[in-house]
């Protein structure tokens, strides 16, 4: 586990192998001037070298925002497409490398993010004197998420759905799709961002994320509390699980 501070922001992250033979998750956090850039990727098991794919995803996407300015949506989208193309080219010479990815860049009072696959981002907000609430969250690019759209299951039922791990968009595919959030103005108050892999979110309810954030003073405390829950629920079998948390006051 690693932590960082930047002015009024705290950052904490970790990546664990669980009970798997290899950890195919990769994480990265960089500070470029006034930019905080975070990337989390999850290599697809059964598709070849997932660890190499997720490592490439982080290595490439983490550069988006290195000029210290907040990227616009087209820049983030181009970074996802370039990253996917790099993974695809390398997989043609070795194995069928593929990976999910979620990206976040915070610049002073603004934020932008994007994702492909089922690695997620959550954005919580607490106004002065109030309580945290979930403002934004990404939607998985999976068969199970399509079932939610069609009204066959609820979002809360996603973790147990047989199509949860059947992804329709990932990096390294011939046709790449990335969902990019337009830049968001962060209102005055406290903001909590969480990037996580499916091995993380499948073992913790969204309401728990908010409750535990309410009780945490910084990103380190928030992650450690969530980590204990995941370790407890995942006993016997636990997928790779990784998370990056950013807490900041605007």
């Amino acid at each position: 586990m690693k932590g960082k501070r930047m002015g009024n922001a705290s950052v904490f992250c970790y990546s664990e192998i669980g009970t798997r033979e290899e950890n195919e998750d990769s994480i990265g956090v960089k500070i470029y001037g006034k930019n905080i850039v975070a990337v989390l990727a999850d290599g697809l098991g059964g598709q070849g070298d997932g660890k190499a794919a997720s490592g490439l995803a982080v290595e490439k996407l983490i550069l988006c925002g290195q000029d210290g300015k907040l990227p616009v949506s087209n820049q983030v989208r181009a970074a996802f497409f370039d990253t996917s193309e790099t993974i695809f080219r390398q997989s043609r010479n070795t194995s069928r490398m593929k990976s999910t990815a979620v990206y976040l860049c915070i610049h002073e009072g603004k934020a932008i993010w994007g994702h492909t696959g089922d690695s997620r981002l959550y954005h919580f907000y607490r106004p002065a004197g109030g309580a945290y609430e979930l403002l934004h969250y990404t939607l998985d690019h999976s068969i199970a998420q399509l079932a939610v759209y069609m009204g066959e299951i609820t979002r809360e039922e996603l973790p147990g759905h047989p199509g949860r791990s059947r992804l329709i968009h990932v990096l390294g595919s011939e046709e790449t799709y990335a969902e990019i959030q337009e830049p968001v103005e962060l209102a005055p108050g406290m903001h909590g961002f969480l990037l996580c892999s499916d091995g993380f979110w499948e073992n913790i309810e969204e309401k728990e994320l908010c409750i535990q954030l309410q009780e945490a003073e910084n990103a380190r405390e928030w992650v450690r509390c969530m980590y204990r829950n995941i370790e407890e629920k995942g006993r016997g079998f636990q997928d790779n699980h990784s998370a990056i948390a950013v807490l900041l006051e605007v």
Side-chain angles (χ1 to χ4, degrees), residues 114-134:
H115 82 292
T116 187
D118 62 354
S119 290
R120 293 181 175 181
L121 178 142
Y122 298 93
H123 173 209
F124 299 88
Y125 169 63
R126 185 185 73 190
Y132 276 105
E133 60 177 317
L134 181 59

PDB file of all heavy atoms in Angstrom, residues 114-134:
ATOM      1  N   GLY A 114     -12.425   8.480 -17.471  1.00  0.00           N
ATOM      2  CA  GLY A 114     -12.884   7.610 -18.541  1.00  0.00           C
ATOM      3  C   GLY A 114     -12.612   6.172 -18.182  1.00  0.00           C
ATOM      4  O   GLY A 114     -11.805   5.880 -17.300  1.00  0.00           O
ATOM      5  N   HIS A 115     -13.297   5.236 -18.872  1.00  0.00           N
ATOM      6  CA  HIS A 115     -13.069   3.823 -18.575  1.00  0.00           C
ATOM      7  C   HIS A 115     -13.491   2.955 -19.741  1.00  0.00           C
ATOM      8  O   HIS A 115     -14.245   3.373 -20.631  1.00  0.00           O
ATOM      9  CB  HIS A 115     -13.834   3.400 -17.316  1.00  0.00           C
ATOM     10  CG  HIS A 115     -15.281   3.063 -17.561  1.00  0.00           C
ATOM     11  ND1 HIS A 115     -16.228   4.007 -17.917  1.00  0.00           N
ATOM     12  CD2 HIS A 115     -15.942   1.875 -17.519  1.00  0.00           C
ATOM     13  CE1 HIS A 115     -17.395   3.429 -18.062  1.00  0.00           C
ATOM     14  NE2 HIS A 115     -17.252   2.132 -17.831  1.00  0.00           N
ATOM     15  N   THR A 116     -12.995   1.732 -19.730  1.00  0.00           N
ATOM     16  CA  THR A 116     -13.476   0.687 -20.618  1.00  0.00           C
ATOM     17  C   THR A 116     -13.400  -0.625 -19.857  1.00  0.00           C
ATOM     18  O   THR A 116     -12.449  -0.863 -19.102  1.00  0.00           O
ATOM     19  CB  THR A 116     -12.667   0.616 -21.929  1.00  0.00           C
ATOM     20  OG1 THR A 116     -13.274  -0.310 -22.827  1.00  0.00           O
ATOM     21  CG2 THR A 116     -11.221   0.213 -21.698  1.00  0.00           C
ATOM     22  N   GLY A 117     -14.424  -1.471 -20.012  1.00  0.00           N
ATOM     23  CA  GLY A 117     -14.482  -2.723 -19.266  1.00  0.00           C
ATOM     24  C   GLY A 117     -15.240  -2.561 -17.964  1.00  0.00           C
ATOM     25  O   GLY A 117     -16.152  -1.734 -17.855  1.00  0.00           O
ATOM     26  N   ASP A 118     -14.850  -3.327 -16.937  1.00  0.00           N
ATOM     27  CA  ASP A 118     -15.596  -3.299 -15.673  1.00  0.00           C
ATOM     28  C   ASP A 118     -14.772  -2.820 -14.483  1.00  0.00           C
ATOM     29  O   ASP A 118     -15.163  -3.036 -13.331  1.00  0.00           O
ATOM     30  CB  ASP A 118     -16.201  -4.678 -15.367  1.00  0.00           C
ATOM     31  CG  ASP A 118     -15.152  -5.762 -15.183  1.00  0.00           C
ATOM     32  OD1 ASP A 118     -13.956  -5.497 -15.406  1.00  0.00           O
ATOM     33  OD2 ASP A 118     -15.539  -6.897 -14.815  1.00  0.00           O
ATOM     34  N   SER A 119     -13.645  -2.186 -14.731  1.00  0.00           N
ATOM     35  CA  SER A 119     -12.972  -1.461 -13.651  1.00  0.00           C
ATOM     36  C   SER A 119     -13.721  -0.144 -13.469  1.00  0.00           C
ATOM     37  O   SER A 119     -14.067   0.514 -14.453  1.00  0.00           O
ATOM     38  CB  SER A 119     -11.501  -1.210 -13.989  1.00  0.00           C
ATOM     39  OG  SER A 119     -10.781  -2.418 -13.963  1.00  0.00           O
ATOM     40  N   ARG A 120     -13.986   0.226 -12.229  1.00  0.00           N
ATOM     41  CA  ARG A 120     -14.935   1.295 -11.961  1.00  0.00           C
ATOM     42  C   ARG A 120     -14.322   2.546 -11.336  1.00  0.00           C
ATOM     43  O   ARG A 120     -13.257   2.493 -10.733  1.00  0.00           O
ATOM     44  CB  ARG A 120     -16.028   0.793 -11.001  1.00  0.00           C
ATOM     45  CG  ARG A 120     -16.937  -0.260 -11.566  1.00  0.00           C
ATOM     46  CD  ARG A 120     -17.985  -0.653 -10.538  1.00  0.00           C
ATOM     47  NE  ARG A 120     -18.960  -1.592 -11.072  1.00  0.00           N
ATOM     48  CZ  ARG A 120     -19.980  -2.075 -10.373  1.00  0.00           C
ATOM     49  NH1 ARG A 120     -20.145  -1.694  -9.112  1.00  0.00           N
ATOM     50  NH2 ARG A 120     -20.829  -2.927 -10.938  1.00  0.00           N
ATOM     51  N   LEU A 121     -15.082   3.657 -11.460  1.00  0.00           N
ATOM     52  CA  LEU A 121     -14.807   4.887 -10.726  1.00  0.00           C
ATOM     53  C   LEU A 121     -16.075   5.314 -10.007  1.00  0.00           C
ATOM     54  O   LEU A 121     -17.177   5.263 -10.571  1.00  0.00           O
ATOM     55  CB  LEU A 121     -14.350   6.004 -11.663  1.00  0.00           C
ATOM     56  CG  LEU A 121     -14.079   7.363 -10.981  1.00  0.00           C
ATOM     57  CD1 LEU A 121     -12.867   8.048 -11.601  1.00  0.00           C
ATOM     58  CD2 LEU A 121     -15.312   8.296 -11.080  1.00  0.00           C
ATOM     59  N   TYR A 122     -15.918   5.709  -8.732  1.00  0.00           N
ATOM     60  CA  TYR A 122     -16.993   6.292  -7.937  1.00  0.00           C
ATOM     61  C   TYR A 122     -16.570   7.702  -7.517  1.00  0.00           C
ATOM     62  O   TYR A 122     -15.417   7.918  -7.157  1.00  0.00           O
ATOM     63  CB  TYR A 122     -17.245   5.475  -6.669  1.00  0.00           C
ATOM     64  CG  TYR A 122     -17.696   4.053  -6.884  1.00  0.00           C
ATOM     65  CD1 TYR A 122     -16.770   3.012  -6.930  1.00  0.00           C
ATOM     66  CD2 TYR A 122     -19.053   3.737  -6.998  1.00  0.00           C
ATOM     67  CE1 TYR A 122     -17.186   1.703  -7.105  1.00  0.00           C
ATOM     68  CE2 TYR A 122     -19.469   2.426  -7.163  1.00  0.00           C
ATOM     69  CZ  TYR A 122     -18.535   1.407  -7.214  1.00  0.00           C
ATOM     70  OH  TYR A 122     -18.942   0.111  -7.384  1.00  0.00           O
ATOM     71  N   HIS A 123     -17.535   8.628  -7.522  1.00  0.00           N
ATOM     72  CA  HIS A 123     -17.280   9.998  -7.072  1.00  0.00           C
ATOM     73  C   HIS A 123     -18.293  10.357  -5.994  1.00  0.00           C
ATOM     74  O   HIS A 123     -19.504  10.388  -6.248  1.00  0.00           O
ATOM     75  CB  HIS A 123     -17.395  10.974  -8.256  1.00  0.00           C
ATOM     76  CG  HIS A 123     -17.306  12.407  -7.856  1.00  0.00           C
ATOM     77  ND1 HIS A 123     -17.940  13.410  -8.567  1.00  0.00           N
ATOM     78  CD2 HIS A 123     -16.665  13.032  -6.826  1.00  0.00           C
ATOM     79  CE1 HIS A 123     -17.692  14.579  -7.989  1.00  0.00           C
ATOM     80  NE2 HIS A 123     -16.919  14.375  -6.938  1.00  0.00           N
ATOM     81  N   PHE A 124     -17.790  10.609  -4.784  1.00  0.00           N
ATOM     82  CA  PHE A 124     -18.620  10.989  -3.654  1.00  0.00           C
ATOM     83  C   PHE A 124     -18.394  12.468  -3.326  1.00  0.00           C
ATOM     84  O   PHE A 124     -17.304  12.992  -3.524  1.00  0.00           O
ATOM     85  CB  PHE A 124     -18.269  10.146  -2.422  1.00  0.00           C
ATOM     86  CG  PHE A 124     -18.480   8.666  -2.600  1.00  0.00           C
ATOM     87  CD1 PHE A 124     -17.467   7.872  -3.120  1.00  0.00           C
ATOM     88  CD2 PHE A 124     -19.684   8.077  -2.242  1.00  0.00           C
ATOM     89  CE1 PHE A 124     -17.648   6.503  -3.285  1.00  0.00           C
ATOM     90  CE2 PHE A 124     -19.879   6.712  -2.397  1.00  0.00           C
ATOM     91  CZ  PHE A 124     -18.859   5.921  -2.913  1.00  0.00           C
ATOM     92  N   TYR A 125     -19.444  13.105  -2.775  1.00  0.00           N
ATOM     93  CA  TYR A 125     -19.348  14.531  -2.438  1.00  0.00           C
ATOM     94  C   TYR A 125     -20.007  14.802  -1.087  1.00  0.00           C
ATOM     95  O   TYR A 125     -21.072  14.247  -0.778  1.00  0.00           O
ATOM     96  CB  TYR A 125     -20.031  15.374  -3.508  1.00  0.00           C
ATOM     97  CG  TYR A 125     -20.213  16.826  -3.138  1.00  0.00           C
ATOM     98  CD1 TYR A 125     -19.121  17.654  -2.899  1.00  0.00           C
ATOM     99  CD2 TYR A 125     -21.502  17.367  -3.019  1.00  0.00           C
ATOM    100  CE1 TYR A 125     -19.298  18.994  -2.550  1.00  0.00           C
ATOM    101  CE2 TYR A 125     -21.684  18.703  -2.691  1.00  0.00           C
ATOM    102  CZ  TYR A 125     -20.580  19.507  -2.444  1.00  0.00           C
ATOM    103  OH  TYR A 125     -20.756  20.832  -2.099  1.00  0.00           O
ATOM    104  N   ARG A 126     -19.346  15.659  -0.291  1.00  0.00           N
ATOM    105  CA  ARG A 126     -19.908  16.085   0.992  1.00  0.00           C
ATOM    106  C   ARG A 126     -19.824  17.600   1.111  1.00  0.00           C
ATOM    107  O   ARG A 126     -18.727  18.158   1.195  1.00  0.00           O
ATOM    108  CB  ARG A 126     -19.143  15.443   2.150  1.00  0.00           C
ATOM    109  CG  ARG A 126     -19.759  15.746   3.530  1.00  0.00           C
ATOM    110  CD  ARG A 126     -18.908  15.186   4.647  1.00  0.00           C
ATOM    111  NE  ARG A 126     -17.679  15.959   4.824  1.00  0.00           N
ATOM    112  CZ  ARG A 126     -16.666  15.580   5.611  1.00  0.00           C
ATOM    113  NH1 ARG A 126     -16.705  14.422   6.234  1.00  0.00           N
ATOM    114  NH2 ARG A 126     -15.600  16.351   5.728  1.00  0.00           N
ATOM    115  N   PRO A 127     -20.972  18.294   1.128  1.00  0.00           N
ATOM    116  CA  PRO A 127     -20.944  19.748   1.332  1.00  0.00           C
ATOM    117  C   PRO A 127     -20.620  20.061   2.783  1.00  0.00           C
ATOM    118  O   PRO A 127     -20.697  19.189   3.656  1.00  0.00           O
ATOM    119  CB  PRO A 127     -22.379  20.171   0.982  1.00  0.00           C
ATOM    120  CG  PRO A 127     -23.204  18.958   1.300  1.00  0.00           C
ATOM    121  CD  PRO A 127     -22.343  17.770   0.973  1.00  0.00           C
ATOM    122  N   ALA A 128     -20.245  21.291   3.068  1.00  0.00           N
ATOM    123  CA  ALA A 128     -19.919  21.691   4.435  1.00  0.00           C
ATOM    124  C   ALA A 128     -21.101  21.412   5.354  1.00  0.00           C
ATOM    125  O   ALA A 128     -22.232  21.817   5.073  1.00  0.00           O
ATOM    126  CB  ALA A 128     -19.552  23.171   4.468  1.00  0.00           C
ATOM    127  N   GLY A 129     -20.843  20.702   6.435  1.00  0.00           N
ATOM    128  CA  GLY A 129     -21.894  20.386   7.400  1.00  0.00           C
ATOM    129  C   GLY A 129     -22.825  19.268   6.982  1.00  0.00           C
ATOM    130  O   GLY A 129     -23.783  18.954   7.702  1.00  0.00           O
ATOM    131  N   GLY A 130     -22.570  18.641   5.835  1.00  0.00           N
ATOM    132  CA  GLY A 130     -23.457  17.586   5.340  1.00  0.00           C
ATOM    133  C   GLY A 130     -22.825  16.213   5.407  1.00  0.00           C
ATOM    134  O   GLY A 130     -21.795  16.012   6.056  1.00  0.00           O
ATOM    135  N   ALA A 131     -23.435  15.272   4.705  1.00  0.00           N
ATOM    136  CA  ALA A 131     -22.943  13.896   4.649  1.00  0.00           C
ATOM    137  C   ALA A 131     -22.561  13.555   3.222  1.00  0.00           C
ATOM    138  O   ALA A 131     -23.036  14.179   2.260  1.00  0.00           O
ATOM    139  CB  ALA A 131     -24.015  12.929   5.148  1.00  0.00           C
ATOM    140  N   TYR A 132     -21.691  12.570   3.058  1.00  0.00           N
ATOM    141  CA  TYR A 132     -21.285  12.148   1.723  1.00  0.00           C
ATOM    142  C   TYR A 132     -22.455  11.509   0.979  1.00  0.00           C
ATOM    143  O   TYR A 132     -23.282  10.804   1.565  1.00  0.00           O
ATOM    144  CB  TYR A 132     -20.150  11.125   1.800  1.00  0.00           C
ATOM    145  CG  TYR A 132     -18.778  11.749   1.927  1.00  0.00           C
ATOM    146  CD1 TYR A 132     -18.101  11.741   3.144  1.00  0.00           C
ATOM    147  CD2 TYR A 132     -18.163  12.334   0.822  1.00  0.00           C
ATOM    148  CE1 TYR A 132     -16.834  12.295   3.265  1.00  0.00           C
ATOM    149  CE2 TYR A 132     -16.897  12.894   0.931  1.00  0.00           C
ATOM    150  CZ  TYR A 132     -16.236  12.874   2.146  1.00  0.00           C
ATOM    151  OH  TYR A 132     -14.990  13.430   2.251  1.00  0.00           O
ATOM    152  N   GLU A 133     -22.491  11.752  -0.322  1.00  0.00           N
ATOM    153  CA  GLU A 133     -23.436  11.076  -1.202  1.00  0.00           C
ATOM    154  C   GLU A 133     -22.713  10.696  -2.489  1.00  0.00           C
ATOM    155  O   GLU A 133     -21.721  11.322  -2.867  1.00  0.00           O
ATOM    156  CB  GLU A 133     -24.634  11.964  -1.523  1.00  0.00           C
ATOM    157  CG  GLU A 133     -24.274  13.272  -2.228  1.00  0.00           C
ATOM    158  CD  GLU A 133     -25.493  14.094  -2.586  1.00  0.00           C
ATOM    159  OE1 GLU A 133     -26.480  13.493  -3.059  1.00  0.00           O
ATOM    160  OE2 GLU A 133     -25.460  15.321  -2.405  1.00  0.00           O
ATOM    161  N   LEU A 134     -23.195   9.646  -3.137  1.00  0.00           N
ATOM    162  CA  LEU A 134     -22.606   9.191  -4.394  1.00  0.00           C
ATOM    163  C   LEU A 134     -23.147  10.041  -5.534  1.00  0.00           C
ATOM    164  O   LEU A 134     -24.338  10.019  -5.827  1.00  0.00           O
ATOM    165  CB  LEU A 134     -22.939   7.713  -4.614  1.00  0.00           C
ATOM    166  CG  LEU A 134     -22.384   7.053  -5.880  1.00  0.00           C
ATOM    167  CD1 LEU A 134     -20.864   7.136  -5.930  1.00  0.00           C
ATOM    168  CD2 LEU A 134     -22.849   5.592  -5.959  1.00  0.00           C
TER     169      LEU A 134
END
